């Protein structure tokens, strides 16, 4: 679905918040390489503390345990190695930072993918910071939209956008900015 959208719209700028290992960024970058135009800006701090910021120690214990056991440095290194191996560097700009700090480095967005920190505070903040940068008629993908913590962010998107497509039983939504 994401690759089809890129091939159909031929965007100049895609932004992905929450790159992790690059599973969704690499297909977008590959589609841009095929088109020989555009860039995907990947934003991720690759920092465990930032990844669990605002998590509740009791309610989110399972998530905290998972992040605690994760070798995030290895994931970041693998991401960089795959960029080089697949010769995608000309179509990717990586910002190793929080989405909050990176926002000032981005002016205009054709396609935005939201998959960063899933806390209510961070999810809502990502929409508030980046939705104004999405061009009218631009697209916003949001992942894990069924998580209770993401509902405020989803509501903000619903207020400003049309729902284009539901994927994975509504757990991922494609919006188009009005």
């Amino acid at each position: 679905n994401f690759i089809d959208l890129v091939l159909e719209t031929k965007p100049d700028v895609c932004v992905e918040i929450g790159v992790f290992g690059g599973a969704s960024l690499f297909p977008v970058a590959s589609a841009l390489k095929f088109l020989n135009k555009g860039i995907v800006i990947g934003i991720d701090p690759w920092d465990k503390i930032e990844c669990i910021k605002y998590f509740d120690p009791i309610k989110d214990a399972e998530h905290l345990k998972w992040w605690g056991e994760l070798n995030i440095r290895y994931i970041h290194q693998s991401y960089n190695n795959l960029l080089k191996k697949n010769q995608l560097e000309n179509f990717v700009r990586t910002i190793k930072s929080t989405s909050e700090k990176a926002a000032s480095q981005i002016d205009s967005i054709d396609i935005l993918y939201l998959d960063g920190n899933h806390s209510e505070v961070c999810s809502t903040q990502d929409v508030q910071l980046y939705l104004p940068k999405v061009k009218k008629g631009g697209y916003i993908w949001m992942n894990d939209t069924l998580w209770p913590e993401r509902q405020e962010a989803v509501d903000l998107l619903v207020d400003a956008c049309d729902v284009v497509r539901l994927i994975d039983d509504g757990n991922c939504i494609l919006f188009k900015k009005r």
Side-chain angles (χ1 to χ4, degrees), residues 1-7 9 11-16 22-42 88 91-92 111-113 141:
N1 288 296
F2 208 160
I3 292 171
D4 289 343
L5 181 65
V6 170
L7 295 175
T9 63
D12 292 317
V13 178
C14 300
V15 172
E16 178 168 333
S24 53
L25 184 136
F26 289 128
V28 171
S30 297
L32 295 172
K33 182 177 178 181
F34 175 79
L35 294 170
N36 197 31
K37 73 168 286 215
I39 190 160
V40 57
I41 302 169
L88 296 171
F91 300 93
V92 177
I111 301 174
L112 173 64
Y113 180 59
W141 285 103

Side-chain angles (χ1 to χ4, degrees), residues 12-82:
D12 292 317
V13 178
C14 300
V15 172
E16 178 168 333
I17 298 174
V19 175
F20 196 63
S24 53
L25 184 136
F26 289 128
V28 171
S30 297
L32 295 172
K33 182 177 178 181
F34 175 79
L35 294 170
N36 197 31
K37 73 168 286 215
I39 190 160
V40 57
I41 302 169
I43 303 167
D44 197 305
W46 285 283
D47 178 285
K48 282 187 187 185
I49 299 302
E50 290 297 334
C51 293
I52 62 171
K53 195 175 190 178
Y54 303 111
F55 278 33
D56 181 280
I58 296 169
K59 188 177 81 165
D60 299 318
E62 182 181 335
H63 296 293
L64 291 169
K65 181 180 185 304
W66 186 84
W67 281 103
E69 294 172 355
L70 190 67
N71 185 344
I72 200 137
R73 180 175 287 151
Y74 174 78
I75 290 168
H76 181 240
Q77 183 178 25
S78 295
Y79 163 80
N80 285 322
N81 291 341
L82 284 170

Side-chain angles (χ1 to χ4, degrees), residues 119-130:
S119 71
E120 182 175 335
V121 170
C122 292
S123 296
T124 303
Q125 178 178 272
D126 285 346
V127 172
Q128 291 168 333
L129 288 173
Y130 286 87

